[in-house]
Amino acid sequence: MRPQTSNTPARPHVVILGGGFAGLQAARALARDPVDVTVIDRRNHHLFQPLLYQVATAALNPGDIATPIRSVLRDQRNARTLLAEATHIDLGARVVQLHDGAIGYDYLVVATGATHSYLGQDQWAAVAPGLKTVEDALDMRRRILLAFEDAERAEDVQTRSALLTFVVVGAGPTGVELAGALAEIGRFTLARDFRSFDPRGLRVVLVEGGNRLLTAMSETLSAAAERQLTDLGVEVRKSAKVTDIDEHGVTFADGSRLASRTVLWAAGVQASPLGVCLSAPTDRAGRVHVEPDLSLAGHPEAFVAGDLMHAPAGEGIVPGVAPAAIQSGQHVALAIRARMAGRPTAPFVYRDKGSLATIGRAAAVGSLAGFEVRGFLAWWLWWIVHIAYLIGFRNRLSVMIGWAWQYFAFRRGARLITGRALRRSPSLPPGRPSQS
Amino acid sequence: MRPQTSNTPARPHVVILGGGFAGLQAARALARDPVDVTVIDRRNHHLFQPLLYQVATAALNPGDIATPIRSVLRDQRNARTLLAEATHIDLGARVVQLHDGAIGYDYLVVATGATHSYLGQDQWAAVAPGLKTVEDALDMRRRILLAFEDAERAEDVQTRSALLTFVVVGAGPTGVELAGALAEIGRFTLARDFRSFDPRGLRVVLVEGGNRLLTAMSETLSAAAERQLTDLGVEVRKSAKVTDIDEHGVTFADGSRLASRTVLWAAGVQASPLGVCLSAPTDRAGRVHVEPDLSLAGHPEAFVAGDLMHAPAGEGIVPGVAPAAIQSGQHVALAIRARMAGRPTAPFVYRDKGSLATIGRAAAVGSLAGFEVRGFLAWWLWWIVHIAYLIGFRNRLSVMIGWAWQYFAFRRGARLITGRALRRSPSLPPGRPSQS
């Protein structure tokens, strides 16, 4: 059976672009409504991005944190999933152009999210990968593990120390979590794996342009996070502006230079390019300004949800976090239901359930329901909250095992280098592992 | 601490090329000997190849069946691991050339294995991928899952049926296991996932040039395997010679044509190219003829183990299976120990512990300790044997979960399409999923 579409007037056709938290939530909330839902994503999987850094740091398999969108919606008979890339939206004609076709809609939900931004320095992308997709995470993992492999074979001290220096740019949740995980890889995971150097000598530098970490959280929590990172051996550099990045290291505004073969990018936000098709003003990050009910001005049938939307919340805007995406997806479903019934729509109100950032194996900082938490308790809360969010029983179980294993054995379960396994770096000494 | 090498005469330097079953077994067997062991592999991981088809068919994550060589040897203090590619072997100088250096040895173990061969038709590699590496498996998985995605969007019946026809060439264990798993994907896993077609209509064709399946096993077992596959809905074509493969299907010697968008290659064996450096005769598949003790004629310090060796066994040769690789690695370690002690070496004797091939979710055929088994019992035996072989607790557990999950829920846990997520196939109709 194939859902009906816009030219069969009986059931309105709801097209949802993006199978992230916002899009999937909107789709599921419409399960019992007399509509045909089509979820379109250029990936076949829903990705649990809050845990992506665990894939990048070889603690989890990609399969642990991703679920096929198709199987999430398998039993929702009024929904279908299409693997396709939306290239343009014609609000007037109510048609979405795909990379190889087109699809009409009666109601549209644009939830194509955001990615990281290099703040105008796109050439940095090649040397300082960001973390948004499974491929990003596997690329980061490969770079991190290869740096250790190359260090095992490096002959001179300078090369080795550059290979064992990891720089994380940006001290938001992702940057903090990456830095913490990296510090532990050296301290525990790989401690006995190498022969020609001691991985505990690894250096992790967390670089932040602002004057504190986790600016979305309170100053107390920022300070706690910094303390916990320092305890793990992470060097925290605040108010440090990066002016250049190349394959040999990072240059700062004060002219100083940090030699590193592995720079990881965890800064900047750039909304999905589809936002520009929506005939609405966008903010500096490309997020789309929406009406109070998350629809587009002049287009009551089109909505924006998730990281792509620019919606006021208190004195700021709704943050680009999973709970906000889920809430907005839910709200859009209600708004569509109201429109179909000819009822007025309610304005979207974001409820901040709090946020948590984990720091290494056994610490975290955050606020939940108004209470500030830190340390081991926070870590357990973080753990429970994230597991609870995960879609799909198997993933939950397998992630729990991954973590338990990593926690009790200080080992990383998924230390696979895939893709280009060997890096032929000209700047490495002619690797002569033995004196033969 | 760094192991000493050939120019420190105190401890002989044993260089092992290849971190597969043979190489790792040899390395571990030398753990307590007064030698320095260097294991060299171009991959950072040991791969449990007997389960690779489960990754290709989206039942397992790559991380479930691969373990970093470095962590397997982490506690063996006389061993180190190098991520490097051996490009040439100079038996006279006792030096192995690496892609970016060289390493000398006193004793050499060449265990670089074999891959599949296209029997002279290398152009088929692009349209009919084989299954030897993690990347191969992920590529196969992507092709299989994308065929279903494209079928969901295909408009005409012919295109859809070609997309839903999967051809497996070669009915050895890999081909049989692939065919069985594919048949079940359609019957159970994806049964409710699609809207515009019924995945149970999927067609799996297993093509074998010979007149029976699993030629390494008895005729009774071949017949049993064929029956079990047929019960799963697999079409078995024996004595069918493939003369051409392109992206639209397969052509047979009798001129008949089979339209298929997904052809998987499970035939042919081609030994590692390093074999030609070993100044010993090789067989048609490139396997190296060895002395009874697995050393090279005229080079008592150099040995060949695993799939790369051509060693007589009964009226045939030692088969290219994991148990044989493990036994040969063990034997080579003993032979090196004997050489060091000036004792004569024993000839290698392969002990056939039997073999098993699984067929789908709950059947298998094989022989163990002289007994022939089939059906559900065989499947459990297969399951236990393979779990028992797996290196690394976490992998075992996670594989068990993957299987349990797949077995009880008929679902595939690892249905991720990574890499190029969208296939822009010109031969697909301009995908217009709706009549808009």
Side-chain angles (χ1 to χ4, degrees):
Chain A
M1 153 270 190
R2 185 168 179 167
Q4 300 158 305
T5 55
S6 48
N7 40 3
T8 34
R11 292 159 64 91
H13 186 205
V14 179
V15 169
I16 298 173
L17 304 182
F21 285 111
L24 275 186
Q25 186 63 38
R28 297 167 111 185
L30 290 168
R32 282 178 185 64
D33 292 277
V35 295
D36 292 318
V37 177
T38 301
V39 175
I40 298 175
D41 199 296
R42 59 184 175 184
R43 303 317 192 86
N44 82 320
H45 50 273
H46 167 79
L47 182 62
F48 190 76
Q49 271 174 351
L51 288 183
L52 200 52
Y53 83 96
Q54 295 245 11
V55 174
T57 53
L60 295 177
N61 283 306
D64 297 333
I65 63 162
T67 316
I69 296 166
R70 192 172 290 293
S71 67
V72 174
L73 298 173
R74 74 187 317 180
D75 296 324
Q76 183 172 331
R77 302 310 299 178
N78 72 342
R80 65 172 173 159
T81 307
L82 292 183
L83 180 69
E85 180 164 14
T87 53
H88 182 72
I89 297 167
D90 184 339
L91 290 169
R94 298 193 181 177
V95 169
V96 176
Q97 295 296 331
L98 306 176
H99 72 285
D100 61 354
I103 184 166
Y105 63 83
D106 301 303
Y107 295 97
L108 177 69
V109 180
V110 186
T112 46
T115 181
H116 47 270
S117 139
Y118 286 92
L119 316 165
Q121 306 288 327
D122 291 347
Q123 71 280 11
W124 294 352
V127 283
L131 188 61
K132 204 68 186 176
T133 66
V134 166
E135 288 76 13
D136 290 343
L138 293 177
D139 178 42
M140 257 194 200
R141 177 194 294 185
R142 205 182 68 246
R143 289 169 185 253
I144 293 166
L145 295 176
L146 280 177
F148 284 102
E149 295 294 337
D150 291 344
E152 176 79 338
R153 305 188 53 195
E155 294 263 294
D156 64 288
V157 182
Q158 272 169 326
T159 309
R160 180 168 296 139
S161 83
L163 283 163
L164 294 177
T165 301
F166 297 82
V167 180
V168 178
V169 182
T174 302
V176 164
E177 294 178 327
L178 270 176
L182 280 170
E184 294 199 323
I185 286 182
R187 275 183 121 187
F188 307 112
T189 316
L190 303 178
R192 285 173 294 131
D193 280 15
F194 295 90
R195 299 292 180 256
S196 57
F197 69 90
D198 182 344
R200 279 161 291 196
L202 137 132
R203 191 173 163 204
V204 179
V205 185
L206 178 61
V207 175
E208 166 60 38
N211 62 0
R212 66 186 184 96
L213 281 52
L214 301 170
T215 44
M217 296 188 184
S218 76
E219 303 209 353
T220 336
L221 290 180
S222 298
E226 184 170 351
R227 204 163 45 249
Q228 291 172 5
L229 282 170
T230 316
D231 293 347
L232 281 177
V234 175
E235 291 174 41
V236 179
R237 292 197 187 181
K238 293 175 293 186
S239 312
K241 195 172 174 338
V242 173
T243 54
D244 192 27
I245 307 177
D246 59 41
E247 64 178 355
H248 296 290
V250 177
T251 312
F252 295 97
D254 64 9
S256 67
R257 175 92 179 154
L258 178 57
S260 165
R261 287 291 177 80
T262 315
V263 182
L264 307 178
W265 188 261
V269 177
Q270 181 58 53
S272 153
L274 275 180
V276 301
C277 314
L278 299 180
S279 71
T282 57
D283 63 18
R284 255 178 58 252
R287 285 177 293 240
V288 179
H289 286 271
V290 290
E291 299 294 290
D293 66 357
L294 304 186
S295 66
L296 288 167
H299 286 283
E301 76 287 356
F303 299 84
V304 180
D307 291 0
L308 180 59
M309 74 186 176
H310 177 112
E315 53 279 8
I317 66 167
V318 178
V321 296
I326 290 169
Q327 290 174 35
S328 63
Q330 178 72 38
H331 178 86
V332 164
L334 296 175
I336 289 173
R337 196 174 295 151
R339 289 253 197 284
M340 291 192 295
R343 286 186 277 104
T345 56
F348 173 62
V349 181
Y350 168 59
R351 286 173 197 71
D352 184 355
K353 300 243 180 77
S355 58
L356 287 165
T358 175
I359 294 160
R361 259 182 60 253
V365 298
S367 57
L368 271 185
F371 294 95
E372 294 198 339
V373 287
R374 65 194 70 151
F376 195 59
L377 165 70
W379 186 83
W380 276 105
L381 278 172
W382 179 89
W383 193 90
I384 290 157
V385 168
H386 284 73
I387 288 288
Y389 267 128
L390 273 180
I391 294 171
F393 159 83
R394 178 184 186 274
N395 288 356
R396 288 183 205 184
L397 201 56
S398 145
V399 169
M400 275 189 265
I401 285 156
W403 282 350
W405 179 237
Q406 154 191 5
Y407 183 77
F408 293 111
F410 302 105
R411 263 169 110 142
R412 302 249 141 186
R415 275 166 47 201
L416 246 60
I417 301 178
T418 51
R420 195 168 34 83
L422 283 175
R423 170 166 58 185
R424 286 174 173 69
S425 162
S427 40
L428 269 181
R432 305 187 64 249
S434 85
Q435 282 71 42
S436 61
Chain B
M1 152 270 190
R2 185 168 182 168
Q4 299 158 306
T5 56
S6 49
N7 42 3
T8 34
R11 291 158 66 90
H13 186 205
V14 179
V15 169
I16 299 172
L17 304 182
F21 285 110
L24 275 185
Q25 187 63 38
R28 296 167 111 188
L30 290 167
R32 282 177 185 65
D33 293 277
V35 295
D36 292 318
V37 176
T38 301
V39 175
I40 299 175
D41 200 295
R42 58 184 175 182
R43 301 317 191 88
N44 83 319
H45 50 273
H46 167 79
L47 182 61
F48 190 76
Q49 272 173 353
L51 287 184
L52 200 52
Y53 83 97
Q54 295 246 11
V55 174
T57 52
L60 295 177
N61 283 305
D64 297 332
I65 63 162
T67 316
I69 295 166
R70 191 173 289 296
S71 67
V72 174
L73 297 173
R74 73 187 317 181
D75 297 324
Q76 185 172 331
R77 302 310 299 176
N78 72 341
R80 65 172 173 160
T81 307
L82 292 183
L83 180 70
E85 180 163 16
T87 54
H88 183 71
I89 297 166
D90 183 338
L91 290 169
R94 299 192 181 177
V95 169
V96 176
Q97 294 296 331
L98 306 175
H99 71 285
D100 61 352
I103 183 166
Y105 64 83
D106 301 303
Y107 294 98
L108 177 69
V109 181
V110 187
T112 46
T115 182
H116 46 268
S117 139
Y118 287 92
L119 316 165
Q121 306 289 327
D122 292 347
Q123 71 280 13
W124 293 351
V127 283
L131 188 60
K132 205 67 185 175
T133 66
V134 166
E135 288 76 13
D136 290 342
L138 293 177
D139 178 41
M140 258 194 201
R141 177 195 295 186
R142 204 183 67 246
R143 290 170 185 253
I144 293 166
L145 296 176
L146 280 178
F148 284 103
E149 295 294 337
D150 290 343
E152 175 80 339
R153 304 188 55 194
E155 296 263 292
D156 65 287
V157 182
Q158 272 167 326
T159 308
R160 180 169 296 139
S161 84
L163 284 163
L164 293 177
T165 302
F166 296 83
V167 179
V168 178
V169 182
T174 302
V176 165
E177 293 178 328
L178 270 176
L182 279 170
E184 295 200 320
I185 287 183
R187 278 182 116 186
F188 306 113
T189 316
L190 302 178
R192 284 173 294 130
D193 280 16
F194 295 89
R195 300 293 180 256
S196 56
F197 68 91
D198 182 344
R200 279 161 292 196
L202 137 130
R203 192 172 163 206
V204 179
V205 185
L206 178 60
V207 175
E208 166 60 38
N211 60 359
R212 63 186 186 98
L213 282 52
L214 301 169
T215 46
M217 297 188 184
S218 77
E219 303 210 352
T220 335
L221 290 178
S222 298
E226 184 170 352
R227 204 162 45 248
Q228 292 172 5
L229 282 170
T230 314
D231 292 347
L232 281 177
V234 175
E235 292 174 41
V236 178
R237 291 196 187 181
K238 294 175 291 187
S239 311
K241 194 170 173 344
V242 172
T243 54
D244 191 29
I245 307 177
D246 59 42
E247 63 178 355
H248 296 290
V250 177
T251 311
F252 295 96
D254 62 11
S256 67
R257 175 90 180 154
L258 179 57
S260 165
R261 287 293 177 80
T262 315
V263 181
L264 307 178
W265 187 260
V269 178
Q270 181 56 56
S272 155
L274 274 180
V276 303
C277 313
L278 298 180
S279 70
T282 56
D283 64 18
R284 257 179 55 250
R287 284 177 295 238
V288 179
H289 286 271
V290 290
E291 300 293 289
D293 66 357
L294 304 186
S295 68
L296 288 167
H299 287 283
E301 76 287 354
F303 298 84
V304 179
D307 291 0
L308 180 59
M309 73 186 178
H310 178 111
E315 55 279 8
I317 66 168
V318 177
V321 296
I326 291 169
Q327 290 175 34
S328 64
Q330 178 72 38
H331 179 86
V332 164
L334 296 174
I336 290 174
R337 193 176 296 151
R339 290 252 195 285
M340 291 192 296
R343 284 186 276 103
T345 56
F348 174 61
V349 181
Y350 168 58
R351 285 172 198 73
D352 184 355
K353 301 242 182 72
S355 57
L356 287 165
T358 176
I359 295 161
R361 258 180 62 254
V365 298
S367 58
L368 271 184
F371 293 96
E372 292 198 341
V373 287
R374 64 193 74 149
F376 195 58
L377 167 69
W379 186 82
W380 276 106
L381 278 172
W382 179 89
W383 193 90
I384 289 156
V385 168
H386 283 74
I387 288 290
Y389 267 127
L390 272 180
I391 294 171
F393 159 83
R394 179 184 187 277
N395 288 357
R396 288 184 204 182
L397 202 57
S398 143
V399 169
M400 276 189 265
I401 286 158
W403 282 350
W405 180 236
Q406 158 191 0
Y407 184 77
F408 294 112
F410 303 105
R411 265 169 106 139
R412 301 252 141 184
R415 275 166 48 202
L416 246 59
I417 300 178
T418 51
R420 195 170 34 83
L422 284 176
R423 171 165 58 183
R424 284 176 177 67
S425 162
S427 40
L428 270 180
R432 306 188 62 252
S434 86
Q435 281 72 41
S436 61

